[in-house]
Amino acid sequence: MHPLRRYRLTMVIFIVVMTSIAVGLMSFALRKNINLFYTPSSVVLGEAPINVNIRVGGMVVEGSLIRAEDSLLSIFKVTDGVSEVKVQHEGILPDMFAEGGGAVATGKLDENFIFIASTVLAKHDENYMPPEVTFAMDEARLHTKKLNSEAGSLNNN
Amino acid sequence: MIAEYGHFALILALALALMQAIIPQIGAFAGNRLWMSTVRPLVAAQTLFVLISFGCLIFLFLNDDFSVRYVAENSNTLLPDRYKISAVWGAHEGSLLLWVFILALWSSAVSIFSANLPAHLVARVLAVMGFISVGFYFFLLFTSNPFDRSLPFFPSEGADLNPLLQDVGLIFHPPMLYMGYVGLSVAFSFSIAALLSGDTDSAWARWVRPWTLVSWIFLTLGISLGSWWAYYELGWGGWWFWDPVENASFMPWLVCTALIHSLSATEKRGVFRSWTLLLAIIAFSLSLLGTFLVRSGVLTSVHAFASDPTRGVFILTFLVIVIGGSLLLFALKGPTKNAPSGFSDLSKEMFILINNLLLMSLTVVILLGTLYPLIADVLGWGKISVGPPYFNLFFVPLTLLLAILMPIGSVLRWKRSTTVSVRHYFNGPLVCSIFLGGLFPFFYEGYEPIAAVTVMVALWIIFITLRDVWRKSAQTSRSVLHGLIRLNASYYGMVVAHIGVAICIIGVGLTSTYSVQRDIRMEPGDQVNVAGYQFKFVAIGPFKGPNYIADQAEIAVTRDDSAVAVLYPQKRRYLASGQTMTEASIDSGIFRDLYVALGEPLKGEAWALRVYVKPFVIWIWLGSAFIALGALIALLDRRYRINRRKAVHA
């Protein structure tokens, strides 16, 4: 083969191999480090994996926040309007955290279906709602609407 | 009436920008001098009208005109004047107005400092900048007009500026960052102009370089101000979160860094011409993408304020036109033949190439991590977020490699260095940095291998760089002092900036290893020991600010029974919005920061507190300041100064 062609061929092979390694590594790393979002309904339905890092979010249920007396442990519930999930967090809750407000927690679901949160994010101002929370509420609303209409058609029959 | 004047001025500015985008461009194609010469007056007029418009908005804020919706949503009569001014760019509409205003300023700067450039090039560059302005004016006027009135029923009091933004850092952070973002449009426009005229020689690189340096200075300062603000204002002591919006500003910075280095190779050696052109296009494309990510509200982040889908569609379309168009132009008319200058594996060119490769890899990694949640959402793979471990996994090793290679490349010669001549530059620094770096953690709190590596790499950079200054000044001239004076400014700029990188590395590495954090429940009288410091919760009481009320704690810090500092962290409640905000209290020092933030009130007088001792954290921003200073020094280089002087005289 012509030396120039051979040089070009090795360059092309080198680039292809290096890029595939890089892409492979990146997608591997991505898969290890992404946190999927689950709505409270999907957690209750058992769709969420146990002991895997995920995110759960919704509105904080009024009157559900309980704090420990002698530590920073707190427990509250989040809802999407249909189902509720119990969240346990040890540490300081964010400024905008409030009962009736939106919150998204990152952490793991334990065997008793209590969500052990490592971080809790709340909306950061009055006009703003985390997109995930809006998503969860909409999903739940759609779902109930569908159930209702199915129930309605059953009744009619 | 002022709002209407502002609105009208904005429309006039749009009309002028349209003319600026079209007439000089046609003139340059047709070779019509008259049409080309319209560009400077058009730029001046456009700048004047956007300045009027911007001034009107500031006036409306200062006079609490709540009939203007944007003012009512982002200001309040109780807001201090300095925050009323910074509130102008505190939200979407105003920040876009700031964007076009800064673009007009850059256009004016180009039109003033370009007297010695060929007329057709100036016409083309400014026409491209006019085109970008047109896009943003349309965006402002059709989707986000800051002068909209909410008549006839307007509120008597404003909703107040988001408390997070009521801070000195936030007065300067957005303008600085935007100066950087928008400044990249100059290099972009130069490369589009070069592609259009087919004239891509080394002179091009010399003209673009100072502009790129200036925008790089602003980007560097803007990003580090943002990170500093996040550190003390977001309340929880982190300084970088791999938040999508931080990434959006970091990517243009990385590409701009690559651009600065490849520009120097193109200018001095005529190599990498098409690559440099492409980098200029990518850098600005990423800064547009950043604007899109921040302003379309597609991302969950601290910066994603209330959003509107039509805006996202508009920016996306604009993005496709600009990025797609310029890449197409590059593919069609990009330079195909490089200067016939070979270089060996051990040469400055090769190391600049590696630098560019590593910086671009970092950019790709960050881009993928930032866009992946969007792609997954669109493709229905679920709502996901990419965590910091992903970014750190790639960022840390790639940056370390970059840092180790950086000083080597900086002392090599262009074209070729011989292994023998080069080896003795590195032996001494290698031994010293490994020895001292390995020893360092023994004198600090606990042996951490990461700390040792951090110090080794930082010292490696500093030793080689300083040794090279010594060698160059002693070798080329009679006395060292004379030699030091003879070295040019762009060399000194590089030295300072590279040492800045070393300082940054020390800050990042040591803070990450030695920071101690405690979340703790405390009552008045309680004490806690964190990393050798005694934090005593003395008292808590009410405090009244101009537009907020707060609980303020008094925390006395002692070490070995001698007083170190008294900190007053606050938990504020803003009156107009009812929002609560954590105001951390920090005692900053060269070797450590003491950081206390009030969490939430618990039973009785007890509070949840977060206490941090963060060693060397200030070095992160000190290093960034050095990097920016380095670029500033490089800018004073004689080569560019002559350009300027000619420009002023002409």
Side-chain angles (χ1 to χ4, degrees):
Chain A
M1 211 189 285
H2 194 274
L4 185 67
R5 286 224 189 113
R6 188 184 302 153
Y7 173 76
R8 278 188 186 153
L9 188 69
T10 27
M11 275 319 271
V12 168
I13 291 175
F14 178 75
I15 290 170
V16 169
V17 169
M18 288 314 272
T19 345
S20 351
I21 292 176
V23 169
L25 272 179
M26 279 199 283
S27 46
F28 177 74
L30 265 179
R31 214 165 309 142
K32 285 264 164 188
N33 291 302
I34 54 173
N35 307 315
L36 260 170
F37 178 82
Y38 289 90
T39 66
S41 293
S42 58
V43 171
V44 169
L45 289 173
E47 288 168 12
I50 286 172
N51 269 330
V52 173
N53 252 320
I54 56 168
R55 292 180 304 145
V56 168
M59 306 296 275
V60 181
V61 178
E62 296 274 357
S64 71
L65 177 65
I66 305 164
R67 286 179 201 275
E69 297 247 324
D70 52 352
S71 73
L72 294 181
L73 193 75
S74 54
I75 295 175
F76 56 91
K77 287 177 185 164
V78 289
T79 178
D80 55 7
V82 176
S83 316
E84 292 178 352
V85 173
K86 207 176 232 182
V87 179
Q88 180 184 321
H89 178 245
E90 173 130 38
I92 296 173
L93 292 166
D95 286 342
M96 289 287 135
F97 183 90
E99 291 181 347
V104 178
T106 310
K108 291 173 179 170
L109 204 59
D110 76 357
E111 288 81 4
N112 308 317
F113 286 90
I114 294 174
F115 192 73
I116 312 296
S118 52
T119 55
V120 176
L121 292 174
K123 57 178 188 166
H124 61 76
D125 73 30
E126 294 294 305
N127 315 318
Y128 178 80
M129 184 61 71
E132 287 91 345
V133 174
T134 322
F135 169 77
M137 304 296 286
D138 289 349
E139 280 284 288
R141 208 171 298 134
L142 266 175
H143 197 66
T144 19
K145 207 184 267 173
K146 214 166 84 190
L147 283 181
N148 283 343
S149 65
E150 273 168 17
S153 58
L154 280 177
N155 285 344
N156 288 344
N157 289 340
Chain B
M1 272 314 277
I2 296 295
E4 280 66 37
Y5 288 141
H7 190 182
F8 191 56
L10 204 57
I11 296 172
L12 281 177
L14 165 67
L16 288 160
L18 261 174
M19 290 198 271
Q20 181 194 327
I22 296 166
I23 299 173
Q25 192 71 268
I26 295 176
F29 271 110
N32 184 328
R33 290 215 147 256
L34 181 67
W35 284 37
M36 281 193 258
S37 67
T38 57
V39 74
R40 287 203 172 87
L42 280 171
V43 167
Q46 197 229 113
T47 311
L48 177 69
F49 281 106
V50 71
L51 176 69
I52 291 173
S53 185
F54 197 69
C56 286
L57 194 57
I58 292 181
F59 182 89
L60 291 171
F61 267 92
L62 287 176
N63 286 289
D64 302 315
D65 188 342
F66 297 130
S67 70
V68 175
R69 194 179 41 78
Y70 182 69
V71 180
E73 280 171 4
N74 294 291
S75 188
N76 185 279
T77 46
L78 292 175
L79 195 65
D81 276 353
R82 59 177 186 280
Y83 295 136
K84 280 182 185 167
I85 293 175
S86 73
V88 169
W89 52 79
H92 174 78
E93 288 87 345
S95 73
L96 273 176
L97 186 60
L98 180 71
W99 215 101
V100 281
F101 175 54
I102 289 175
L103 186 55
L105 289 183
W106 278 102
S107 309
S108 301
V110 172
S111 109
I112 291 168
F113 296 112
S114 61
N116 59 336
L117 298 190
H120 71 94
L121 185 73
V122 177
R124 284 208 162 101
V125 169
L126 290 172
V128 175
M129 294 181 81
F131 178 80
I132 300 164
S133 319
V134 169
F136 276 87
Y137 283 125
F138 271 125
F139 188 38
L140 262 171
L141 288 167
F142 290 122
T143 71
S144 11
N145 185 354
F147 297 106
D148 272 349
R149 299 250 195 200
S150 49
L151 292 172
F153 305 110
F154 58 87
S156 59
E157 180 58 285
D160 207 0
L161 180 65
N162 186 340
L164 278 176
L165 307 182
Q166 296 186 27
D167 177 81
V168 191
L170 247 284
I171 299 180
F172 300 108
H173 165 59
M176 282 279 180
L177 202 56
Y178 279 21
M179 283 298 281
Y181 268 175
V182 182
L184 290 176
S185 73
V186 181
F188 171 82
S189 305
F190 264 98
S191 73
I192 296 296
L195 287 171
L196 285 173
S197 64
D199 203 13
T200 52
D201 56 5
S202 309
W204 177 85
R206 199 174 60 245
W207 295 325
V208 174
R209 227 177 142 197
W211 296 107
T212 313
L213 276 173
V214 177
S215 37
W216 194 66
I217 294 173
F218 282 116
L219 263 184
T220 311
L221 291 177
I223 294 172
S224 42
L225 262 178
S227 134
W228 185 52
W229 168 76
Y231 170 66
Y232 70 80
E233 186 69 22
L234 284 184
W236 305 122
W239 43 271
W240 194 262
F241 301 90
W242 294 112
D243 173 289
V245 174
E246 289 173 336
N247 296 346
S249 68
F250 195 41
M251 287 186 286
W253 186 86
L254 287 171
V255 178
C256 191
T257 311
L259 178 61
I260 286 174
H261 290 88
S262 82
L263 269 173
S264 80
T266 309
E267 185 194 349
K268 297 219 174 88
R269 301 277 307 136
V271 290
F272 314 143
R273 269 185 211 162
S274 43
W275 173 241
T276 308
L277 278 171
L278 187 62
L279 273 182
I281 293 173
I282 296 175
F284 183 62
S285 300
L286 284 175
S287 94
L288 277 184
L289 182 75
T291 313
F292 165 70
L293 291 179
V294 181
R295 288 296 154 210
S296 60
V298 289
L299 296 169
T300 318
S301 104
V302 227
H303 299 71
F305 299 105
S307 61
D308 167 2
T310 55
R311 288 173 182 169
V313 173
F314 188 101
I315 310 184
L316 199 58
T317 316
F318 185 61
L319 214 60
V320 169
I321 294 173
V322 173
I323 301 177
S326 48
L327 288 181
L328 187 70
L329 184 69
F330 178 79
L332 293 177
K333 298 192 70 173
T336 41
K337 53 177 192 291
N338 256 322
S341 56
F343 50 88
S344 77
D345 293 346
L346 200 66
S347 64
K348 193 165 268 190
E349 287 95 324
M350 184 49 95
F351 274 74
I352 285 179
L353 193 64
I354 296 172
N355 148 305
N356 274 220
L357 218 63
L358 287 172
L359 286 170
M360 291 310 285
S361 316
L362 282 172
T363 312
V364 170
V365 165
I366 297 174
L367 187 67
L368 189 70
T370 311
L371 294 184
Y372 195 71
L374 291 183
I375 300 168
D377 197 16
V378 171
L379 296 180
W381 297 345
K383 297 231 165 240
I384 58 171
S385 70
V386 177
Y390 163 79
F391 294 102
N392 292 336
L393 184 66
F394 287 99
F395 189 77
V396 174
L398 285 174
T399 316
L400 272 184
L401 190 59
L402 198 60
I404 292 169
L405 296 180
M406 180 180 82
I408 304 179
S410 76
V411 304
L412 289 183
R413 273 190 279 168
W414 294 106
K415 216 167 175 183
R416 178 185 314 130
S417 298
T418 56
T419 326
V420 186
S421 73
V422 156
R423 195 181 293 147
H424 71 269
Y425 298 167
F426 304 121
N427 287 343
L430 183 68
V431 173
C432 290
S433 60
I434 288 183
F435 180 70
L436 290 174
L439 222 54
F440 168 82
F442 285 118
F443 297 98
Y444 212 73
E445 292 140 26
Y447 199 92
E448 293 284 345
I450 298 174
V453 173
T454 304
V455 178
M456 275 180 210
V457 172
L459 289 179
W460 163 253
I461 297 171
I462 293 172
F463 287 152
I464 296 182
T465 311
L466 290 183
R467 194 181 182 288
D468 192 52
V469 175
W470 172 261
R471 184 184 64 87
K472 281 210 167 73
S473 52
Q475 186 185 59
T476 55
S477 145
R478 295 169 307 234
S479 71
V480 173
L481 191 67
H482 184 248
L484 281 174
I485 295 166
R486 269 181 44 129
L487 294 172
N488 61 23
S490 59
Y491 177 74
Y492 277 121
M494 182 203 74
V495 167
V496 172
H498 283 186
I499 287 177
V501 173
I503 296 174
C504 249
I505 289 175
I506 290 183
V508 173
L510 296 186
T511 303
S512 311
T513 22
Y514 287 121
S515 282
V516 184
Q517 176 201 333
R518 292 280 295 275
D519 281 358
I520 193 174
R521 179 185 181 280
M522 287 181 104
E523 279 175 55
D526 281 359
Q527 277 201 35
V528 62
N529 184 314
V530 180
Y533 291 90
Q534 287 287 333
F535 291 78
K536 184 172 187 196
F537 191 91
V538 180
I540 181 136
F543 180 89
K544 198 171 169 351
N547 54 346
Y548 61 86
I549 48 169
D551 289 311
Q552 179 173 283
E554 184 186 337
I555 314 274
V557 188
T558 53
R559 180 171 203 173
D560 304 331
D561 291 327
S562 58
V564 178
V566 182
L567 300 171
Y568 298 97
Q570 295 179 346
K571 195 72 167 184
R572 291 181 182 171
R573 187 179 167 75
Y574 282 81
L575 301 171
S577 56
Q579 294 187 40
T580 41
M581 255 272 308
T582 304
E583 188 77 11
S585 180
I586 304 170
D587 180 60
S588 269
I590 287 287
F591 296 113
R592 54 101 192 100
D593 272 19
L594 306 173
Y595 187 114
V596 176
L598 278 178
E600 48 207 311
L602 303 172
K603 219 174 173 193
E605 279 209 295
W607 278 76
L609 257 75
R610 179 164 292 184
V611 182
Y612 265 125
V613 176
K614 294 181 90 77
F616 292 93
V617 69
I618 210 166
W619 289 45
I620 298 171
W621 303 294
L622 199 68
S624 319
F626 262 74
I627 294 173
L629 180 70
L632 192 68
I633 295 172
L635 204 59
L636 299 176
D637 197 288
R638 201 173 291 123
R639 275 173 307 171
Y640 312 129
R641 205 164 57 210
I642 292 166
N643 280 353
R644 293 279 161 91
R645 198 178 298 144
K646 261 191 206 156
V648 173
H649 284 305

